[in-house]
Amino acid sequence: MDKFQALKHYFGYDRFREGQETLIDGILKGKDALGIMPTGSGKSLCFQIPALMMEGITLVISPLISLMKDQVTTLNQAGIHAAYLNSSLTANQYYKALAYAREGRYPIIYVAPERLMTEQFLDFALHTKISMVAVDEAHCVSQWGQDFRPSYLKILDFIEKLPERPVISAFTATATKEVREDVIDILMLREPVIVSTGYDRPNLYLGVQTPKDKYATLKNYVECHPNQCGIIYCLTRKLVEEVCDKLNADGFSATRYHAGLSDAERRKNQDDFIFDRNTIMVATNAFGMGIDKSNVRFVIHYNMPKNLESYYQEVGRCSRDGEPGECILLYSGQDVVTNQMFVDNNQDNQELDPLTRRIVIERDRERLKKMTFYSFTNECLRDYILRYFGEYGENYCGNCSNCISQFESVDVTAISKALIGCVESSRQRYGTTVIIDTVHGANTAKIRNYRMNENPYYSSLAKVPSYKLRQVMNHLFLNDFLEVTNDEYAIVKLTEKSKAILEDQETVVMKMAKEQEPVPKEKNSKKMKKPNGAAAELTKEDEIIFEKLRNLRLKIAKEEKVPPYIVFSDKTLLHMAVIKPKTKEEMLTVSGVGEFKVEKYGNTFLEIFKL
Ligand code: ADP
Ligand code: MG
């Protein structure tokens, strides 16, 4: 079976997503691999598919029991033998699983890092062919990450004990340079194939509001989104209790999660949410790690979190299946004060020496500031986040509250003409900054040295702020009106399209943030109901079918005691409602339906289309 057949046969998908193939091919050639891809982008398949194709066993290291359980259930549902070994098993279950593993029944075994160096596990691992060790959530090895786990440091000790070094692959959604270098160094990856795909989640609508009455705004939102699953994040346990109680009193189906509840209650509430028994989860940031639920349709922050890393990780739990989802931050000045207090009194820092502690606090304050700016910016919210993570793109996404309400189309032909003219007249010898400084009329030593103050365009756009010039320049690059050499000098060059602008044959129009004071955005509250592109385009008839399919799924899920999205994802059901398969063959063309699931559920679901 090749990788495409495996993708179709087991998982029911026709195409790989960005980055998946490169990683899979690398691994199959025996190379180490590092995949840095955002949450929901499909990292698991990158090790699961090679695991099925390689001889021997793949060990997957994962930090949380819930994550392992979810992935193993998903694999079993796809007809793949997989098991997990962690502290949730009784001694008996553990021995049994190990015995099956010895017999070679499982191509994929999930292991908690704490287990690796135990005698029993080593005894098994040293006498079996381990073809790959896949480290999921690999940022846990790094002290720079938010979820450092000392037990992850044992992974390398374990690998070094093995008679033959397996392929090592590592996967994470954390993209900062420090974490990435730590993963490579600590796991000692050897010339790994590295794939780092974009951070953008274009299916997520991003919004910020500063409502006078947060609860009223929230209530209005959930009323407008009946039957949708969502998470509401609050900063404190007290608020979680309060909001959850109010929602329930108002007739919504909400449950709660925070570190002050007993283990048993936390587990129960989490399950109620995952199994769709409660549609709304109100929680502190303690909730979410290890939640693979793919049909969370909104993530509302009742308070602003302490930094953008947390924010983006939390909104990352929205619509992991790629369908439209909405992420809204309800800001108030008090949130900054509360966070400031958290930062200054962070108990995790108590053991640090005073100097390090000061540095850590400084760093956290800086991050809080950037988060606060996010709540106030007039710029595209998506662009703001992507820039924070070191990615550059268009400054307009069309799917955030700012782009919808704060942007206007601006004719930038005159600015473009000056920028291009400046590049041409200085004979294409300089980089972006020199060009912008020239037209802006900067009086710096560099400009004088290059004698750009004598350039005909010098100071011709003195009135346009430099950040705007940079945006236009970026727009010109993205639309091939100019280009930059791909070397360390990054010289701006003309393209075939440049001339059209210089000769007035073409106009350039782009979206730009409106000039205005960053005032609170009360009036956006209307926008909550239907942001751009948020509704799937189903006909009335399809919608009825979709509802029937969902009910059937719920029934099956209850019988099998698995979460509904493990049976089929929302996306799969939507696709099914549109395609309306009449036979098993047609059913197999639905995205997310593989051979095993067709055998298992095909006939039941086909009944719905026999009308
Ligand atoms: P990650 O670990 O990167 O957060 P997952 O591996 O949990 O993401 O995958 C998220 C979702 O995307 C899952 O529902 C998975 O089945 C789906 N998925 C993965 N690869 C593909 C693909 N090639 N085509 C369609 N859906 C995919
Ligand atoms: Mg994952």
Side-chain angles (χ1 to χ4, degrees):
M1 194 180 283
D2 68 24
K3 63 182 179 202
F4 294 105
Q5 288 162 339
L7 181 70
K8 184 74 189 159
H9 180 90
Y10 291 110
F11 302 99
Y13 300 132
D14 292 322
R15 266 171 298 274
F16 284 104
R17 286 190 184 154
E18 192 192 352
Q20 287 180 327
E21 248 188 299
T22 314
L23 287 164
I24 291 172
D25 289 345
I27 292 171
L28 289 175
K29 278 191 203 129
K31 297 192 68 128
D32 285 355
L34 170 58
I36 304 168
M37 293 148 84
T39 306
S41 58
K43 289 185 286 294
S44 329
L45 285 194
C46 301
F47 54 82
Q48 289 166 345
I49 288 191
L52 294 170
M53 296 170 63
M54 293 193 288
E55 248 177 69
I57 292 173
T58 288
L59 296 178
V60 183
I61 319 290
S62 175
L64 291 180
I65 292 175
S66 61
L67 272 178
M68 296 189 209
K69 240 181 175 159
D70 211 78
Q71 294 204 15
V72 168
T73 316
T74 305
L75 288 171
N76 291 341
Q77 284 280 330
I80 298 164
H81 293 284
Y84 53 81
L85 301 173
N86 59 39
S87 57
S88 74
L89 301 182
T90 62
N92 252 341
Q93 288 171 324
Y94 185 70
Y95 287 125
K96 202 156 169 195
L98 264 187
Y100 283 159
R102 277 205 186 84
E103 288 170 18
R105 285 213 201 178
Y106 309 120
I108 306 178
I109 298 176
Y110 284 73
V111 200
E114 297 81 13
R115 291 268 148 176
L116 291 172
M117 295 297 274
T118 61
E119 209 173 307
Q120 291 148 349
F121 188 77
L122 276 174
D123 180 54
F124 153 71
L126 297 183
H127 300 100
T128 321
K129 180 167 168 54
I130 309 286
S131 45
M132 170 159 68
V133 172
V135 183
D136 205 4
E137 313 292 345
H139 55 276
C140 292
V141 300
S142 171
Q143 310 210 26
W144 284 99
Q146 301 174 57
D147 309 300
F148 172 60
R149 276 161 200 264
S151 59
Y152 258 59
L153 300 175
K154 290 188 189 150
I155 297 174
L156 193 71
D157 298 341
F158 168 75
I159 290 170
E160 284 177 341
K161 281 210 177 297
L162 295 176
E164 211 182 309
R165 184 182 184 278
V167 170
I168 306 177
S169 58
F171 302 86
T172 175
T174 306
T176 60
K177 192 165 148 275
E178 292 85 1
V179 168
R180 173 193 175 124
E181 282 169 2
D182 269 4
V183 170
I184 295 178
D185 292 347
I186 295 173
L187 295 175
M188 293 184 54
L189 300 184
R190 294 186 188 161
E191 296 175 27
V193 177
I194 301 179
V195 168
S196 176
T197 60
Y199 253 57
D200 195 7
R201 296 275 311 277
N203 60 318
L204 299 186
Y205 165 85
L206 300 171
V208 176
Q209 295 188 36
T210 312
K212 279 206 190 69
D213 182 345
K214 282 191 183 183
Y215 184 74
T217 308
L218 175 69
K219 188 176 158 208
N220 172 44
Y221 184 89
V222 289
E223 257 165 14
C224 294
H225 296 78
N227 303 324
Q228 288 196 352
C229 291
I231 306 175
I232 295 157
Y233 279 109
C234 302
L235 265 185
T236 62
R237 298 174 189 182
K238 196 166 148 255
L239 257 182
V240 168
E241 297 287 336
E242 205 179 295
V243 172
C244 185
D245 287 348
K246 278 189 187 164
L247 284 173
N248 280 317
D250 282 329
F252 301 104
S253 162
T255 183
R256 59 194 179 153
Y257 192 104
H258 60 68
L261 303 173
S262 70
D263 281 355
E265 177 170 2
R266 276 209 306 263
R267 205 169 315 124
K268 177 181 176 301
N269 295 354
Q270 173 169 328
D271 280 352
D272 283 346
F273 179 62
I274 288 178
F275 288 84
D276 290 351
R277 291 190 287 262
N278 287 121
T279 51
I280 300 173
M281 170 57 88
V282 188
T284 60
N285 62 3
F287 177 77
M289 171 99 159
I291 302 300
D292 262 345
K293 189 173 167 67
S294 62
N295 67 336
V296 175
R297 292 293 168 239
F298 59 85
V299 172
I300 295 185
H301 280 76
Y302 204 75
N303 306 104
M304 179 187 78
K306 64 179 186 294
N307 54 42
L308 275 163
E309 283 91 341
S310 316
Y311 185 63
Y312 209 50
Q313 187 177 47
E314 283 155 17
V315 302
R317 295 175 184 133
C318 190
S319 277
R320 294 178 52 130
D321 54 7
E323 288 296 299
E326 298 181 8
C327 309
I328 293 159
L329 169 60
L330 304 180
Y331 171 87
S332 76
Q334 180 60 37
D335 299 341
V336 183
V337 180
T338 314
N339 274 305
Q340 190 74 58
M341 223 167 61
F342 283 156
V343 165
D344 292 343
N345 302 314
N346 189 345
Q347 295 302 318
D348 296 347
N349 297 337
Q350 299 301 330
E351 287 164 25
L352 302 174
D353 64 84
L355 181 63
T356 317
R357 186 152 174 251
R358 234 183 48 220
I359 295 173
V360 169
I361 291 183
E362 252 342 284
R363 206 183 58 194
D364 288 350
R365 282 198 187 139
E366 203 45 47
R367 291 203 260 184
L368 173 57
K369 237 188 245 167
K370 298 250 170 70
M371 182 74 238
T372 312
F373 290 160
Y374 174 83
S375 314
F376 279 103
T377 180
N378 272 337
E379 306 282 316
C380 168
L381 295 174
R382 190 176 316 276
D383 197 55
Y384 185 96
I385 292 181
L386 294 180
R387 258 186 288 133
Y388 182 82
F389 289 113
E391 259 181 43
Y392 296 87
E394 272 287 7
N395 70 326
Y396 174 83
C397 75
N399 193 23
C400 74
S401 54
N402 284 354
C403 283
I404 287 175
S405 63
Q406 317 270 336
F407 275 63
E408 56 196 355
S409 292
V410 181
D411 186 327
V412 291
T413 313
I415 299 178
S416 307
K417 204 171 158 183
L419 289 169
I420 296 174
C422 182
V423 172
E424 188 193 37
S425 61
S426 58
R427 288 183 287 148
Q428 309 183 53
R429 283 179 301 168
Y430 302 112
T432 314
T433 310
V434 171
I435 300 296
I436 287 176
D437 283 353
T438 302
V439 297
H440 193 55
N443 185 14
T444 63
K446 200 168 183 182
I447 293 293
R448 289 193 301 273
N449 280 346
Y450 292 158
R451 299 181 54 183
M452 287 300 272
N453 48 349
E454 294 165 21
N455 184 284
Y457 292 90
Y458 182 74
S459 202
S460 65
L461 296 178
K463 290 214 176 90
V464 184
S466 337
Y467 80 89
K468 252 196 183 164
L469 293 175
R470 208 165 272 280
Q471 282 177 1
V472 175
M473 197 79 161
N474 202 21
H475 184 79
L476 294 175
F477 292 143
L478 288 167
N479 291 283
D480 299 324
F481 289 113
L482 283 175
E483 63 188 17
V484 187
T485 57
N486 193 11
D487 54 28
E488 58 188 304
Y489 305 109
I491 308 285
V492 183
K493 298 279 183 190
L494 300 178
T495 69
E496 282 173 10
K497 287 173 77 181
S498 308
K499 222 169 106 203
I501 298 203
L502 289 176
E503 294 175 356
D504 293 319
Q505 288 158 359
E506 203 160 335
T507 53
V508 187
V509 175
M510 66 180 281
K511 294 278 190 182
M512 280 193 150
K514 279 183 201 161
E515 297 284 338
Q516 65 181 69
E517 290 299 299
V519 285
K521 298 153 198 146
E522 294 304 342
K523 56 183 187 305
N524 290 4
S525 52
K526 278 206 299 293
K527 292 270 152 43
M528 272 183 131
K529 288 176 194 161
K530 204 128 245 155
N532 267 8
E537 282 164 37
L538 285 185
T539 63
K540 265 267 158 317
E541 182 205 4
D542 293 349
E543 260 177 48
I544 296 169
I545 296 180
F546 178 60
E547 274 315 308
K548 282 190 188 161
L549 293 171
R550 275 172 59 123
N551 288 337
L552 176 59
R553 174 181 68 176
L554 191 63
K555 192 172 140 249
I556 295 176
K558 275 191 179 145
E559 281 163 15
E560 298 191 359
K561 297 196 174 56
V562 296
Y565 62 85
I566 296 259
V567 178
F568 282 129
S569 72
D570 276 8
K571 193 171 185 153
T572 297
L573 294 190
L574 273 175
H575 200 198
M576 206 181 282
V578 173
I579 290 193
K580 303 183 187 52
K582 295 281 186 298
T583 63
K584 281 192 180 175
E585 283 66 44
E586 287 175 19
M587 188 66 109
L588 276 170
T589 65
V590 175
S591 172
V593 182
E595 299 281 348
F596 191 77
K597 287 199 178 173
V598 146
E599 280 316 312
K600 196 162 172 199
Y601 304 122
N603 286 331
T604 326
F605 277 86
L606 282 172
E607 284 297 319
I608 291 201
F609 300 99
K610 279 189 193 152
L611 297 173

